[in-house]
Each structure stands twice: as C-alpha cells, then as structure tokens.
Amino acid sequence: MRSFLFAFFFVFFVLITNSTLGAQEGITLRAQEIIYNDQEEKIEAQGNVSVQWGEANITTEQVVYYLSTSQMVINSPFFASFSANTLTGNFLFFDFRFQQGWVKQAELAYEMDDQGVLYFRGEKIDYLQGKWEGKSLLVSSCPCDPPFYSVRAQEVTIFPDQKVVIEGLSFFIRDRKVIELPTYARILGGEGRGSTFIPTLGYREKQGFYLKGYYESLLTTNLLFQAELLWSSNQNAILGLDLSRSWNNWEARIFWDIWQKEKNSWGAYLGFKEEKWSFYVVDWINQRIGEEGELVSRSPQFILNYRGEIEENWGWGIDLSSGFFEQDDRADWKNDLKGTVFWEEVPWEASFSLHRGVCLREDDFWAFSGEIGWADQISSQLRLAVSYQFTHLEGAPFFSFDPQEESLIALDLLWGKDEASFLRLKADYDFFKQDWDTITAGLALGSEEINAGMEAKYSFFDSEWLEKRYFLRRTIDDCVKVEASWWEEEQSFFLGVELKGLDFKAISESLFTEEEEEFDLFTVEREEIFVP
C-alpha cells in the first residue's frame, strides 16, 4: 500500500504539463493565368489552379497569394486533399507563417484509422498548427446529405495525433433531434477504452437487466478524464474512474473502480514508450482477471519490453517483469523473463516463446510455447484457417495466471461473407484429452444490409450443445449497425447499436469471437471495467 501511495502522488504530479507543434513547407502554384502585382506584392492565379505544399493539394479556380505576409486567400469553391483526408469549402484563408487559417461552408472528411471516415460540416472550421476546431458542426460517418444519423456538436476539436474531441451535442436521426446532451464529451481515437457511443442494453440470467454507459472529457490538451458506469438489476452497480496524461513518449494514469457489493480496485502506472522499447512502473490493487473475476494485486511491478526487427518478415522481442504479486492466499516477489521470435509470411504465421518464472519462496519453472498458423482466402467465397498451439512446462507454476500446459489444434472454415450469408465451422482438438474439445457452427442468410442466423457450440466432453445464439443484424446507409441477440440457454438478450466512426469497436457478440488472454503480466492495458 505504501508503494501505491508513492506512485499515486508521483503520477498525479506528472499529469499537469503540455506541448506544442508547428511546421512549414515550400509552396508550388500552377494555373492557366498567373499575374504578379508588384505594388501590392501579391500573385493572382486563375483557371484550373492547383496549390501544393507538403502533403496538401488544393484545386480551385481563383487564388490570391500575398508575398509580404505569406497569406493565401481562395474566394471560390475548392477541393483539398492531405494524407487520407479531404476538405471542401467556398472560402479559405491560410497564413503560412503561423500555420493557421479558416474555411467557410466547409466539409472535412477525416479518416479515423480503422474506425472509418467522419464528416465534419459547418459554416466555419478553423485550423491552427495541425489542430482543427469548429463550433456548431454536424458530425457523421454518413456521406449522404442529410445523413441518416448525425451529432450536432457545440464544439469540435481535431488534434494532430488522430484524437477528436466532441463536446456539447445533440443527436439527430435525419433532421429530427432525438436527444440533447449539452455537457457530454467524447474522445475518438488514441486513448479511449473501447465503449460504444450509445449506451448498451442487455439482459443476463445472473446480472438481470443491465445498462452500460460511458463518458469522457479532455480537461486539457493531454489530460483525459474517463468514467464508465454499469447498472445491473440483480448484482452490482460499478463505476470506473480514470485520469490519464500523455505527453511526448510518456503516459501516466491513475484509476479507481468502485464496486457496489465487492472489493474496489485502484492503481496507477507511469510508462515510457519508444519505437522499439517501453518501460512501466505499476501499482494495481485487486485487478480482476478471467471469467470468474479472480483478484490479483501487483504492487509494485516493473515491466520492460523490447521489440527488435531481424529482417522484413522476422522479428523478436524480450519481456521482463519484476514485482510483488498477491492472489488469494498466495503472495511472493516474482521475476519473469520471456523471449519471443515470430515469423510472418502470408498465408503462414508462426511465433515461439520461452518463459522463465522465478518466485523467491517457491521453485522456478520454465515454459516453452508456440503457435503455427495457416490461413488463406481460397476463393471469393471460401476462407480456411488451421493453427496449432502448445505450451510445455518444466516445474510447477505458483499463480493461476502463470502458463498452463496445452496442446491444441484449431480449424476454422468460412463459406460466404461474415456480414451477410455464411456457413461457418470452428473446431478444436485437444491432444491431452485425445478428443475434440468443442465445435462451433454458424449459419446466416441475408445481405450486408440485413441478415439473420444462429450460432451454436457443441461440447464433445459433455455430448451436448452448450450454447445457442440467434441474431438479427441491420445496417443502415453503411454507417449504422444494429444487432439483437438471444441466448437460448441463458434466456438472455443483447441489443447494441454501432455508429461507424464514432465507436471504437464492433458491437457483435459472436460465439466465434476469439477469447483474449486472461492475464498478461507484461502489459498494463486498461480494458472495460466490466463485460457482462
């Protein structure tokens, strides 16, 4: 506990600095007619005008460039592209000295990595050294006019590092206002923890009805506050609070998860990341791991990761961890070393790792693990994947999250498209049991706009179907996905809405979704505090 208090105050102190960014590039101007005005020190270009500097390209019919002030004015409709983004408008002013300007009657199409493209439309959008700002803007992932859905924001800020802040919004379907949330803020890209924009509603036999909501606010340019709330009619109300700070290559975070009927969880960490290596100092009390929510504390812990590239398709890495861990009645200072080598050559992939764990009051152990996989799109309709994964132990692991022995081969066949009509089979063969473990089957009919189907998981050990899920999916204007699911055994349902561009991840709850590792002691990623 003493080490946690030290880390808490140290991280809190570190959360309060800032940084700036600026750049300047050479300019190229082409047109059918270019006139130089010596008295006014300006250049006027007319007819098929193109302006280029850095990654930016502008096409329009009329441009005026003032030499003495390095300012450019476009007083006609224009189209601009930069990186993967585009900008259109009827008027543009830009000052090259200070890297600032504004656009009137603007539409900015901004790519949010793999989240899709967001369209920002409004009377005026300002630009300052890579940062875009606008008031009373329409935000949507739908290119249609009017879009199927839109957020009418009081204020929008787009930062150079792919971070978008939307504050004070009203939510519209077509031109009809559905709800107004004047104090709501949402951070897109980078630092979000993965919750969807619209609260998720569902029912589980144990939890009863549940509702999940998410809120975040950028207090300063790099200081982010996040809150996640889950309400359940049968079990817990859970509130997760995070305060994180990122600057240059540093990241700091303090957090507190408040559980109504169970032990709270809290912690802090400070990390430094570069291209090939990272270092973290961690204090985390009562971290929940696995499906049963086992409690693990690591206070303090020191983590060092390094990734080295041998050649184009080969890579290797070293992970080091040293810390004091507690789980149930087990507690010990634990040192771990893992070396990994991986190879990627489509359609083959392979990785191998050697892990040594040492507890000071217990015997140490070795673990050798690997995974070899082959996956290929055999035809436009058929995809096949085969993988084998194993872990061999020497010695007895001390904690439940230490590596466990396994030897498993997995087959995955998909006929059709996962978003439309498909037939899918996935099976696992366990060499320790000398038998097939489970098989998951799925069938759906429809199109990318609407499809319905069912999935089921069969256990060879129990000789029965353990899970059955029925689902209906609807996609609207390629930017809104709605999914309803019903689990037969649990007598539970799930209803989710995904807004392309505004949501961090898909809302699908497929039985084919790969299970994530229960606990990785070499990382400190903050996930959602509770997944029903």
Side-chain angles (χ1 to χ4, degrees):
M1 183 66 181
R2 187 177 302 167
S3 62
F4 168 72
L5 292 176
F6 169 77
F8 181 93
F9 288 113
F10 179 65
V11 169
F12 188 78
F13 173 77
V14 170
L15 290 174
I16 51 175
T17 57
N18 54 32
S19 60
T20 59
L21 175 67
Q24 198 164 6
E25 302 283 352
I27 306 163
T28 302
L29 181 65
R30 296 184 178 90
Q32 291 179 346
E33 182 180 53
I34 298 179
I35 302 173
Y36 171 61
N37 187 321
D38 187 29
Q39 286 186 330
E40 299 184 17
E41 293 187 335
K42 68 179 182 180
I43 295 175
E44 296 181 78
Q46 296 183 356
N48 294 327
V49 182
S50 69
V51 184
Q52 180 179 358
W53 79 95
E55 295 182 341
N57 291 275
I58 301 176
T59 57
T60 185
E61 287 298 313
Q62 185 178 14
V63 171
V64 179
Y65 185 84
Y66 296 91
L67 297 171
S68 59
T69 59
S70 296
Q71 295 174 335
M72 180 176 66
V73 175
I74 298 177
N75 197 13
S76 60
F78 69 89
F79 174 86
S81 63
F82 50 99
S83 301
N85 310 308
T86 62
L87 176 68
T88 60
N90 292 334
F91 177 88
L92 181 146
F93 169 83
F94 193 77
D95 190 317
F96 287 90
R97 295 173 304 172
F98 301 105
Q99 292 289 297
Q100 64 181 24
W102 65 83
V103 179
K104 293 183 179 179
Q105 297 297 315
E107 178 180 283
L108 173 64
Y110 199 79
E111 185 171 343
M112 295 293 298
D113 295 327
D114 57 353
Q115 294 169 230
V117 176
L118 280 180
Y119 297 90
F120 301 86
R121 302 169 186 161
E123 291 293 324
K124 182 183 178 185
I125 297 179
D126 296 308
Y127 177 88
L128 175 61
Q129 296 180 352
K131 183 174 69 174
W132 299 86
E133 291 183 328
K135 298 184 183 298
S136 301
L137 296 186
L138 179 152
V139 184
S140 179
S141 64
C142 298
C144 309
D145 191 14
F148 177 79
Y149 87 86
S150 62
V151 171
R152 314 294 170 94
Q154 293 180 5
E155 187 170 343
V156 173
T157 306
I158 305 173
F159 292 90
D161 57 353
Q162 293 282 323
K163 182 167 57 183
V164 178
V165 183
I166 303 174
E167 298 182 86
L169 58 87
S170 300
F171 188 82
F172 281 73
I173 300 295
R174 299 298 186 194
D175 288 323
R176 177 173 295 181
K177 183 189 295 185
V178 177
I179 190 171
E180 183 172 355
L181 301 168
T183 61
Y184 189 89
R186 182 64 191 265
I187 316 300
L188 304 178
E191 300 164 8
R193 287 224 310 273
S195 295
T196 53
F197 187 82
I198 294 178
T200 301
L201 173 67
Y203 175 84
R204 288 284 189 272
E205 188 175 10
K206 293 181 180 180
Q207 285 83 35
F209 289 98
Y210 66 84
L211 181 67
K212 289 179 63 178
Y214 192 73
Y215 175 83
E216 52 193 3
S217 179
L218 202 64
L219 304 180
T220 66
T221 302
N222 293 307
L223 186 61
L224 176 65
F225 170 76
Q226 297 168 288
E228 184 178 353
L229 175 66
L230 179 132
W231 173 85
S232 171
S233 60
N234 291 348
Q235 288 190 338
N236 280 303
I238 308 164
L239 176 64
L241 304 173
D242 285 66
L243 188 65
S244 60
R245 170 77 172 89
S246 60
W247 71 107
N248 298 327
N249 295 328
W250 291 88
E251 178 188 4
R253 184 185 293 263
I254 55 178
F255 48 88
W256 187 19
D257 297 337
I258 305 169
W259 293 64
Q260 181 182 4
K261 299 178 182 179
E262 299 179 25
K263 289 183 178 181
N264 295 338
S265 174
W266 64 90
Y269 65 80
L270 175 67
F272 179 84
K273 284 186 179 181
E274 279 203 341
E275 184 178 353
K276 291 187 176 182
W277 68 277
S278 62
F279 177 74
Y280 284 90
V281 181
V282 185
D283 265 299
W284 199 327
I285 309 299
N286 293 335
Q287 180 180 1
R288 283 168 169 81
I289 66 172
E291 296 182 358
E292 301 300 323
E294 298 177 77
L295 298 181
V296 173
S297 296
R298 35 178 167 168
S299 176
Q301 183 194 14
F302 306 92
I303 301 173
L304 177 64
N305 311 107
Y306 184 84
R307 296 292 177 266
E309 184 177 335
I310 300 175
E311 51 185 63
E312 186 176 355
N313 295 315
W314 289 81
W316 60 276
I318 296 291
D319 299 289
L320 296 169
S321 168
S322 181
F324 188 80
F325 289 80
E326 296 181 71
Q327 182 183 32
D328 298 329
D329 57 348
R330 291 161 288 178
D332 204 344
W333 191 275
K334 177 177 170 61
N335 301 303
D336 291 88
L337 166 66
K338 185 175 75 169
T340 304
V341 178
F342 62 88
W343 176 66
E344 296 179 358
E345 180 68 42
V346 176
W348 291 93
E349 291 186 0
S351 65
F352 303 92
S353 63
L354 184 64
H355 180 188
R356 187 187 186 194
V358 179
C359 290
L360 298 188
R361 292 188 294 272
E362 296 290 328
D363 295 334
D364 59 348
F365 70 92
W366 293 84
F368 178 64
S369 61
E371 182 173 358
I372 304 172
W374 176 88
D376 198 10
Q377 191 74 38
I378 298 175
S379 69
S380 60
Q381 292 293 314
L382 178 61
R383 178 175 176 81
L384 180 63
V386 182
S387 65
Y388 172 67
Q389 57 191 33
F390 67 91
T391 300
H392 176 71
L393 291 182
E394 291 289 343
F398 185 57
F399 293 97
S400 69
F401 51 82
D402 286 328
Q404 305 294 321
E405 280 207 317
E406 67 173 358
S407 181
L408 196 72
I409 189 170
L411 305 175
D412 194 345
L413 181 147
L414 174 64
W415 177 271
K417 293 186 176 180
D418 202 21
E419 302 84 10
S421 297
F422 68 84
L423 170 64
R424 189 172 181 184
L425 298 172
K426 183 177 180 181
D428 299 324
Y429 184 85
D430 193 324
F431 286 94
F432 286 143
K433 298 177 182 178
Q434 294 289 308
D435 199 357
W436 293 94
D437 187 15
T438 59
I439 183 171
T440 305
L443 175 66
L445 297 175
S447 64
E448 294 185 6
E449 285 72 33
I450 183 170
N451 70 336
M454 71 168 294
E455 298 171 348
K457 183 173 289 189
Y458 181 81
S459 170
F460 289 90
F461 178 78
D462 298 314
S463 298
E464 63 177 348
W465 293 95
L466 299 180
E467 298 179 70
K468 293 179 183 178
R469 184 180 83 97
Y470 305 89
F471 63 87
L472 175 65
R473 297 170 182 161
R474 178 76 167 95
T475 300
I476 306 171
D477 284 356
D478 196 34
C479 59
V480 179
K481 293 183 180 180
V482 181
E483 179 175 329
S485 295
W486 172 260
W487 279 264
E488 184 176 290
E489 283 71 26
E490 297 181 8
Q491 296 291 294
S492 61
F493 75 87
F494 166 83
L495 178 63
V497 179
E498 177 193 349
L499 305 180
K500 186 178 177 181
L502 291 182
D503 288 335
F504 291 99
K505 64 178 182 180
I507 44 86
S508 176
E509 290 199 351
S510 171
L511 294 178
F512 290 97
T513 302
E514 293 290 339
E515 295 183 2
E516 297 182 357
E517 294 183 10
E518 293 184 354
F519 180 75
D520 184 355
L521 58 86
F522 299 107
T523 65
V524 287
E525 296 291 335
R526 277 281 284 167
E527 303 294 341
E528 293 179 85
I529 59 173
F530 184 76
V531 180

